[in-house]
């Protein structure tokens, strides 16, 4: 019986390891160090994984050095970074869990519709973590906090991003 209850929770994705209060602080304080570097962050992702850039109709096939200075690039970079900021601001308070769940579920759905894959989300994650490692004080504790935060978020996104 217990097994089925656990299985059901896994299927609906309700099981996530919540961040400790310390981990929430580490994610929030390290994010504060880079959250205004929107253009830099998106440029680092595109440089590491050109297949991600190729998915954006407005940037596909163009030289990254040229597009990174455009208003369209700043707009998209701000969208992604603001999304992170919104989720990070909500984290740490379990009464916000439903709000986080619905935001991230929608993100997964929208990206599924655009043909984005889980593999690309994982590439994004790798480039994003590499950016953090290079630009914030990044000890093992910060790495563990971000990995747990991304595990939790991706578990929700991957329920609707199934490709
Ligand atoms: C990993 C590969 C990804 C690809 C290929 C991708 C691709 C796209 C594309 C093509 C758009 C539409 C742009 C437009 O029409 O102007 C978009 C919008 C957006 N993306 Fe992504 N994206 C990726 C990952 C992410 C991640 C990880 C986040 C956030 C954490 C994110 C957040 C957003 C947001 C907030 C928008 C604008 C709102 C919306 O239309 O959904 N994206 N993305």
């Amino acid at each position: 019986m217990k097994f089925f209850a656990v299985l059901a929770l896994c299927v609906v994705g309700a099981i996530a390891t919540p961040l400790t209060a310390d981990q929430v602080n580490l994610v929030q304080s390290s994010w504060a160090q880079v959250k205004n570097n929107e253009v830099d962050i998106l440029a680092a992702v595109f440089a590491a994984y050109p297949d991600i850039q190729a998915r954006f109709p407005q940037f596909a096939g163009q030289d990254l050095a040229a597009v990174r200075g455009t208003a369209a690039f700043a707009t998209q970079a701000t969208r992604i970074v603001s999304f992170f900021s919104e989720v990070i601001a909500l984290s740490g308070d379990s009464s916000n869990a439903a709000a986080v769940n619905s935001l991230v579920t929608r993100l997964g759905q929208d990206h599924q519709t655009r043909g984005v894959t889980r593999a690309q989300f994982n590439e994004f994650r790798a480039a994003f973590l590499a950016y953090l490692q290079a630009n914030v004080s990044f000890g093992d504790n910060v790495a563990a906090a971000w990995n747990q935060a991304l595990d939790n978020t991706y578990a929700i996104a991957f329920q609707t991003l199934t490709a």
Side-chain angles (χ1 to χ4, degrees):
M1 192 58 200
K2 202 167 174 192
F3 169 77
F4 288 109
V6 170
L7 186 67
L9 283 169
C10 287
V11 170
V12 300
I15 286 191
T17 307
L19 270 61
T20 64
D22 260 7
Q23 288 180 319
V24 171
N25 281 334
L26 288 171
V27 168
Q28 290 181 340
S29 60
S30 54
W31 182 239
Q33 296 168 49
V34 291
K35 66 177 188 186
N36 295 321
N37 302 358
E38 300 93 338
V39 165
D40 253 16
I41 293 173
L42 188 60
V45 171
F46 283 4
Y49 296 105
D51 63 295
I52 295 183
Q53 180 176 337
R55 282 269 162 204
F56 287 82
Q58 64 273 51
F59 309 127
Q62 298 183 58
D63 183 21
L64 177 55
V67 293
R68 70 166 279 156
T70 63
F73 196 89
T75 300
Q76 185 57 30
T78 301
R79 281 181 182 158
I80 294 185
V81 166
S82 306
F83 185 89
F84 272 102
S85 289
E86 196 174 0
V87 170
I88 289 169
L90 289 169
S91 65
D93 179 345
S94 57
S95 66
N96 291 329
V100 169
N101 201 71
S102 88
L103 275 172
V104 180
T105 297
R106 189 161 4 104
L107 181 84
Q109 262 159 5
D110 290 349
H111 285 74
Q112 169 88 353
T113 305
R114 294 188 182 106
V116 177
T117 62
R118 289 180 172 190
Q120 287 177 314
F121 257 56
N122 286 331
E123 289 175 346
F124 182 100
R125 173 179 178 146
F128 181 72
L129 284 173
Y131 184 88
L132 288 174
Q133 183 156 17
N135 290 282
V136 306
S137 332
F138 201 78
D140 288 351
N141 53 349
V142 180
W146 272 101
N147 273 301
Q148 190 61 62
L150 288 163
D151 281 352
N152 292 351
T153 313
Y154 273 45
I156 300 169
F158 282 4
Q159 286 175 46
T160 43
L161 182 68
T162 54

